[in-house]
Each structure stands twice: as C-alpha cells, then as structure tokens.
Amino acid sequence: MAAPVKKRKTSLPKKTVGLAFPVKFPDISMFIVERKIQRARLDHVKNLARRKGFQVSDSLNESVTHIISELETRDQVLEVLRGRLSNDVEASLFLKDAEIVCMGWFTSCMEEGAPVQVTHGHRLKPEVKAVPTVSSSSASKTCYQDAKYCCQRITPLNHHNKKLTDALEVLEKQADFLGGDNNSSRALAFRKASTALKALPKTVRNMREVENLCDLKGGKHCKRVVQEILEEGFSSEVEDIMNDEWFQTVKIFTGVFGCGAATGRKWFDMKLRSLEDVRRCQDINLTTEQKHGLKFYDDINTPVTRHEADVIQQIVAAEAQQILPGTTVTVTGGFSRGKTTGHDVDLLISHPEEGKEEGLLAQILYALHKKDFLEYTDVQNSSYNEAAIRQVKRNQVMDHFERCFSIFRLPKRLIQDRSELNTDQSTVKLGENTLKMSPKDQANTQRPTLAEEGSGDVEDTTNKTQNQDNSDETGNADDRNVRTQSQDAGLLDSKLTPCVDSEATSLNDGVRDWVARRVDLIITPHSQYAYALMGWIGSRMFNRSIRDYANREMNMTLTSHGLFDKTKNALIPAKTQREIFEHLKLQYREPKERNC
Ligand code: CTP
Ligand code: MN
Ligand code: MN
C-alpha cells in the first residue's frame, strides 16, 4: 500500500492563523474576497501576507484600502460585497476610496515583499458585455498554441514555464507511481496541463492567462498548484511529495531497468528502502533485467549524452553496413527532438529494399556480441500483421516491430577524449585504427536533423550543408542514412572490429573500461519507415495526441506501422513524415516542436 503523502508542512499550522506579525505597511489594509477561493487557500494567502508585514482585515470596514478578488469584474465584486455592508450608501462611500484589484496585484506585492503601485492592469473593470474581461484566454482560444490537440501546437524543448511544468510533472509521476486506472487518468491530466504550458509563447504571470486553456480549464488540482506557484513561488504540495519517503524510494526503485511502478511499490511494501536492501533481500526473485538494472544502476541512471548516442550509432551502423550494405541506422527518440541528453539511445534500423531487413537484427546483434559490445539483450520478434494496425486498442503504445532492448557496453576511450573522437564526428578512433569518414559518409550516418525534410532552421550547421540535397528521410538510395558499398569498404579497412578483447578490456585492474548504456534497436520494413520514424521520434504525448486526433477528427487509425482510413477501409502509404501530416490535414511540425 502506498504511504500517504505527508501533511503539508510548509504551510503554517492552523493555530498560527490570526497570530500577530509585525506590521511593516500601516497604510495598507487588504481585504480578500472569499468568492472563488478555497477556504484553505484563503487562510494560506492571508497568512502569507501577514508574515510579510501586510495588514489583512477579516472583515470589510472603512480601514480597508485594497479589495482583492479572483472575480473577473468590479461589478461582480460589488455584487458580492453589497450583502456585507448595511446599505448601498455606505457601500458606495466606502468603495469609492478602496482599490478593487485582481490577485495579480497581491502576488506582485508578495514577490516584492512590499506594496506595489496599483496600475490600470490590476484594477478590475466594470462589466462591459462587448469587451471580454478575461483578456488573454479569449485571445488564446483562437491561437494555435491553445489548439485542442497538442500535435497541432508547437511545443519546444526549452519553454517559458519550466517552474510550473516541473511541479506538474512531479504530480504526474506521483500519480504514475500510485498506479491504477484513476491515477493514470490523473497522471494524464497533469501531463496535459504541463503540455499546454510548454506551448505558451511567454512566461505565465497570472492565473487569468492560463485558466481557460483547453488542457487546463477542467483541472481543479492543476489550477490550484499553478496558482500556488504563481502566488508564492512554490507549491507546498509538490515540495511535500518530493520530500516524501515513499515517493523518493519508489523513484529510486523505478530507476532500476526492469522495475516498473508496481514492482517499486511492492518493494517498498516489503520494507525495502534502498537498492542495497533490494540486492540483499532473499524474498524476491529478481528478473534478469532487474539484476542487470541493479548491477549497472549508476551507469544507466547517468544521462546519455548526444555525443555518446552518436558514437553508439556509428558503431551499430558500421556493423550493419558490413552485414548488409545500404542499411540505415538512425538516432530517434528524444535526441531527434533536440534533447542533449536522454535515458537511452533509440536506433531505428531499415533498408531501402523492402524485405532485406528480415533477419538483420539477429546478425547485427551477433556481430556486436562478438565484439563484446552487448551486456544484455531482450529480443522481441515482430508481431506485425495488418489486422493489428486496423484495430488498435485505445492508448496502445507498443508497436509490433522486431526489436531489441539492450544494455550496451560503450568503451570509455571512445567517449572520454573528444579530441580522439574528433568533435565534428568526422573521425572515430577505435583501438589502433582510425575510422575516417568523408563528408558524404558523415551525412549517411547521421541522425535526422532537427529540421527535417529541408524546412530550414537547422541548428547544426554541419548537418545543414551535408543534407542540403538529401532531404528525403525514407531510406532511398540517396538518403543521408545510407552508405554505399565503396564507403563500406573504407569502413571495413579501418578495422572497426577488434576494439574489445573481452578479458583485457572488460576489466582493467578490476575497473570496467566501458560504461553501460541502454540502447533500443528497432527494425522496420522500408514501407513503414516514415510511420516508424514518427512513432519513435515521439514524444510519447505527441504520439498520443496525433493518434487521438487521427481517430476522432479523421476517422483514421495511426500507428508506428501506418495510417488506416476507416471510412475508405484502406491503408494510406507515406514516404515521409510530411506526407503523414498532409494525410491528416495537419500543419507539419518539426521533431524539435514535438516536445509535448
Ligand atoms: N516508443 C514506442 N514504443 C515503445 C517504446 C517507445 O513507440 N515500446 C516511442 C515513444 O513514444 C517515444 C519514443 O519511442 O516517443 C522513444 O521512447 P523513449 O526512449 O522511452 O523516450 P524518449 O522520448 O527518447 O526519452 P529519453 O530521451 O529519456 O530516452
Ligand atoms: Mn529514448
Ligand atoms: Mn527508448
């Protein structure tokens, strides 16, 4: 059973409510209108102000200088307050002098630790039917950044609301850890809210700017947390979760390769609190995956760098070339969305001649294995058939490709000295031999660039020049990921081969001379390449959204294998990701814009 999250300890205990704090600003007396504010939050907000030296009046009286409200208009505030004053004359006399302001003013005061000047923007406006008072939300409704599906928005990797999304992601993680249907819906709601915030073109300062966003307006909990952070700079609920022993322990456990939330919870319930406890425990039968996960915990939980991903890609591509010239090996996943680190390396492997990819994975693995590059492999055969993609279960993420989830042994010498590796990636030094790559070679082994399919805005200028006339991503003969046979000969000459002599290199004075890295190898037939690429580029949330969109708006089923039009009862082929977007009548989004 999951341990309950501790009581909020950062908020003041109830008994301090009403305690006297030194008054720093005697000219100011705040009154906070209760309407639209939860009781607990109201207490919290009042305390906060008092701690900061403001006077907060619990009753409405003539000393009040600032009336603060979550309501949208001045008229709504007056309506609520009218009942509190004995008569209209009294009300109008008193209200004439008091400022009626939004919560944003209050927040600014708290941030400054002093009263800030009331500006036009702070004052609640009278009700004017024709002019919506919720300024940004009505505008944002028509804005593509608040489109219904996140696949329609631009979601960059580096966005303006990290503080808010980090907090929401903690809540999402906690819900994931708790498990069960209800919590997975909660997790999704947190995810959707953070995704909505990631797409906003500027930093959110005020609740009004976000409360009507498509993916936020229904979520009371999300809103409460966002509001708390906007007003106080942090969320005590989120801080409590992060300090919670259960959360921290399950987080450590789920960092073990092969340990999901359910296992993490189980280990906690068995009174295990550390990896050492798990290693020592006699009562659990660890899977092979988990044994490796525990053994290489630190390595696997150290983020993989872009550079390491490139080195691994080159090692795999070299082997693949040797086995089957023309094979393409492409870095997908987070790196293709512009991430500089990731939890693993996702390599999509294909061949421009349909059918040639069959049997390829086993051969690549054999070759890698012979050279001691593989610590652990979990191979899954292809389970693809046409029926499988016509009737996809809702929320099904797993595709049917032949694949291998592996732990790769990445020799340290290949990553330690970048000068040896040559930072422009033109030379990979393996053992005594140097593998030199011509510019064409480099183009052929590189990941799809961030700006795919020649739409410009390429971050890596080297790639841009190299890929200028190679804008097709499909693995055609002129594709950037394809090596020609003569280039292969060059590769073979360079003896990429003898880089690991298992005895000598796996142990060096008892110290490993390689690091363990998680690598996913996925094999796709050429005809499904564009769909596979899109699926493996992700993000997970982007996939979820574009699949939902296809289903609900287009009556089509989209997977990593293809697009099935349910109205026409036909599969729709696509050579590029752009074509997929076109089939779906969606504006193209670059991989770097899919960081939902
Ligand atoms: N994916 C998938 N089927 C799986 C596993 C993953 O289609 N069985 C997709 C996910 O939707 C994701 C992409 O492949 O978009 C890469 O998955 P993963 O490595 O888990 O995530 P990344 O986005 O690469 O994140 P990280 O950088 O942490 O690796
Ligand atoms: Mn990944
Ligand atoms: Mn992966």
Side-chain angles (χ1 to χ4, degrees):
M1 203 29 231
V5 172
K6 275 186 278 175
K7 284 261 148 48
R8 297 159 58 120
K9 69 174 185 307
T10 29
S11 52
L12 283 180
K14 281 272 180 292
K15 63 174 187 271
T16 62
V17 172
L19 270 190
F21 290 94
V23 173
K24 287 200 217 157
F25 315 107
D27 297 342
I28 301 256
S29 173
M30 297 173 167
F31 175 80
I32 303 171
V33 182
E34 289 102 333
R35 191 68 63 90
K36 282 186 87 180
I37 305 186
Q38 284 191 333
R39 183 80 231 159
R41 197 175 137 248
L42 184 67
D43 288 345
H44 192 69
V45 164
K46 283 182 180 177
N47 263 307
L48 179 75
R50 286 178 181 136
R51 281 206 305 275
K52 291 198 183 254
F54 290 90
Q55 298 181 95
V56 182
S57 173
D58 288 322
S59 63
L60 191 55
N61 56 52
E62 276 98 45
S63 71
V64 170
T65 57
H66 293 76
I67 297 170
I68 301 154
S69 175
E70 279 288 29
L71 292 164
E72 280 164 17
T73 64
R74 187 182 164 90
D75 293 315
Q76 288 170 356
V77 175
L78 295 182
E79 182 68 30
V80 169
L81 297 186
R82 211 147 268 144
R84 295 179 151 252
L85 295 162
S86 49
N87 61 56
D88 277 2
V89 179
E90 191 180 338
S92 59
L93 277 177
F94 152 58
L95 291 172
K96 170 164 73 67
D97 293 328
E99 291 277 13
I100 302 183
V101 292
C102 67
M103 212 60 193
W105 177 78
F106 176 87
T107 307
S108 301
C109 294
M110 297 305 113
E111 274 170 7
E112 289 293 311
V116 300
Q117 182 81 41
V118 173
T119 64
H120 183 68
H122 294 131
R123 286 189 192 103
L124 293 184
K125 314 287 177 300
E127 205 135 354
V128 181
K129 286 278 177 308
V131 183
T133 46
V134 184
S135 51
S136 62
S137 66
S138 51
S140 64
K141 261 189 203 122
T142 55
C143 167
Y144 70 93
Q145 288 306 84
D146 186 32
K148 185 170 169 198
Y149 297 91
C150 66
C151 62
Q152 297 170 306
R153 307 173 202 149
I154 291 174
T155 315
L157 183 63
N158 300 311
H159 58 89
H160 305 275
N161 293 292
K162 197 162 175 337
K163 199 170 183 181
L164 298 174
T165 59
D166 281 353
L168 290 166
E169 280 167 17
V170 170
L171 292 164
E172 180 196 355
K173 195 166 264 226
Q174 188 209 31
D176 271 337
F177 287 172
L178 286 165
D181 284 351
N182 184 33
N183 284 312
S184 54
S185 325
R186 290 180 58 235
L188 183 62
F190 291 129
R191 181 88 210 168
K192 280 189 170 175
S194 68
T195 293
L197 297 171
K198 284 178 188 174
L200 294 177
K202 61 182 174 61
T203 308
V204 174
R205 302 252 174 248
N206 190 307
M207 211 47 207
R208 281 151 191 270
E209 294 166 22
V210 293
E211 63 192 355
N212 290 315
L213 287 179
C214 266
D215 280 333
L216 202 72
K217 62 175 177 239
K220 276 191 194 153
H221 195 161
C222 294
K223 279 192 189 171
R224 193 168 72 231
V225 170
V226 169
Q227 184 149 23
E228 208 178 343
I229 297 171
L230 289 178
E231 284 168 8
E232 293 162 40
F234 70 100
S235 154
S236 45
E237 181 187 358
V238 171
E239 305 250 314
D240 286 352
I241 293 171
M242 291 199 296
N243 291 325
D244 182 61
E245 188 192 18
W246 178 85
F247 181 79
Q248 287 176 350
T249 313
V250 177
K251 192 171 170 197
I252 292 171
F253 289 166
T254 52
V256 175
F257 178 46
C259 171
T263 309
R265 290 197 301 269
K266 195 175 84 188
W267 289 352
F268 185 92
D269 293 342
M270 291 169 75
K271 308 258 179 304
L272 307 177
R273 293 292 178 271
S274 68
L275 296 174
E276 238 1 85
D277 289 351
V278 177
R279 289 187 184 110
R280 274 198 295 257
C281 180
Q282 306 285 318
D283 301 332
I284 36 179
N285 275 331
L286 293 169
T287 63
T288 318
E289 240 179 353
Q290 290 162 353
K291 282 179 193 158
H292 280 90
L294 283 168
K295 192 166 169 191
F296 300 106
Y297 187 87
D298 290 340
D299 275 15
I300 292 177
N301 283 278
T302 303
V304 187
T305 64
R306 170 82 237 190
H307 175 60
E308 290 173 339
D310 287 334
V311 172
I312 291 172
Q313 185 272 346
Q314 288 176 41
I315 292 170
V316 176
E319 292 305 327
Q321 283 310 309
Q322 199 164 344
I323 294 160
L324 181 64
T327 301
T328 61
V329 178
T330 308
V331 178
T332 63
F335 290 115
S336 54
R337 302 194 308 272
K339 284 177 72 175
T340 52
T341 60
H343 93 282
D344 68 355
V345 183
D346 304 290
L347 297 177
L348 188 62
I349 302 172
S350 191
H351 191 280
E353 240 179 280
E354 186 89 1
K356 285 260 188 175
E357 77 290 345
E358 281 173 31
L360 188 56
L361 182 63
Q363 292 182 66
I364 293 174
L365 292 177
Y366 180 73
L368 291 170
H369 201 71
K370 255 190 2 202
K371 291 174 187 172
D372 266 352
F373 279 122
L374 295 174
E375 169 65 26
Y376 169 85
T377 53
D378 171 12
V379 178
Q380 294 171 12
N381 293 331
S382 165
S383 55
Y384 174 78
N385 61 50
E386 239 188 68
I389 64 162
R390 283 168 189 244
Q391 292 169 335
V392 186
K393 286 190 209 102
R394 206 171 174 278
N395 303 340
Q396 180 183 325
V397 234
M398 270 304 208
D399 55 44
H400 299 271
F401 292 118
E402 182 185 17
R403 70 178 102 231
C404 174
F405 298 132
S406 76
I407 297 178
F408 197 94
R409 297 177 181 173
L410 178 58
K412 283 180 190 165
R413 71 177 169 352
L414 296 186
I415 46 172
Q416 263 161 358
D417 184 1
R418 290 200 63 160
S419 64
E420 210 179 298
L421 259 160
N422 205 330
T423 43
D424 68 9
Q425 296 164 24
S426 62
T427 316
V428 177
K429 198 172 175 190
L430 296 154
E432 292 306 302
N433 303 287
T434 300
L435 165 69
K436 282 216 168 59
M437 290 201 256
S438 68
K440 183 73 195 300
D441 274 335
Q442 292 169 49
N444 284 339
T445 56
Q446 271 160 359
R447 62 196 187 267
T449 53
L450 289 179
E452 277 191 305
E453 301 171 317
S455 66
D457 196 18
V458 179
E459 289 182 0
D460 180 343
T461 49
T462 326
N463 290 346
K464 189 167 189 172
T465 11
Q466 285 157 3
N467 293 322
Q468 256 165 3
D469 50 10
N470 261 335
S471 60
D472 192 353
E473 60 178 1
T474 61
N476 290 327
D478 65 343
D479 185 82
R480 71 182 78 117
N481 296 305
V482 183
R483 282 176 179 282
T484 65
Q485 212 133 9
S486 59
Q487 287 157 3
D488 285 336
L491 269 178
L492 298 185
D493 284 351
S494 68
K495 294 203 184 66
L496 187 60
T497 338
C499 69
V500 187
D501 161 333
S502 77
E503 280 302 301
T505 46
S506 53
L507 281 178
N508 184 1
D509 294 334
V511 181
R512 264 195 284 127
D513 58 3
W514 49 271
V515 288
R517 291 289 178 241
R518 276 272 301 106
V519 176
D520 290 342
L521 305 162
I522 303 98
I523 302 281
T524 176
H526 182 62
S527 60
Q528 299 173 25
Y529 186 82
Y531 289 103
L533 186 58
M534 186 152 105
W536 279 85
I537 284 175
S539 67
R540 227 167 267 269
M541 195 60 192
F542 175 85
N543 288 348
R544 199 197 148 87
S545 144
I546 196 165
R547 289 168 192 195
D548 266 359
Y549 168 91
N551 189 31
R552 292 197 200 133
E553 310 294 330
M554 304 296 289
N555 198 30
M556 292 178 182
T557 305
L558 174 68
T559 67
S560 292
H561 299 278
L563 183 62
F564 179 72
D565 187 329
K566 291 187 269 187
T567 318
K568 295 184 181 150
N569 198 31
L571 276 170
I572 308 174
K575 282 200 171 62
T576 63
Q577 293 184 73
R578 268 183 198 282
E579 282 181 27
I580 306 174
F581 279 80
E582 279 164 23
H583 290 319
L584 292 168
K585 300 199 187 335
L586 280 174
Q587 195 174 341
Y588 183 67
R589 296 283 174 236
E590 300 286 352
K592 66 176 178 183
E593 297 170 340
R594 302 180 202 163
N595 284 293
C596 344

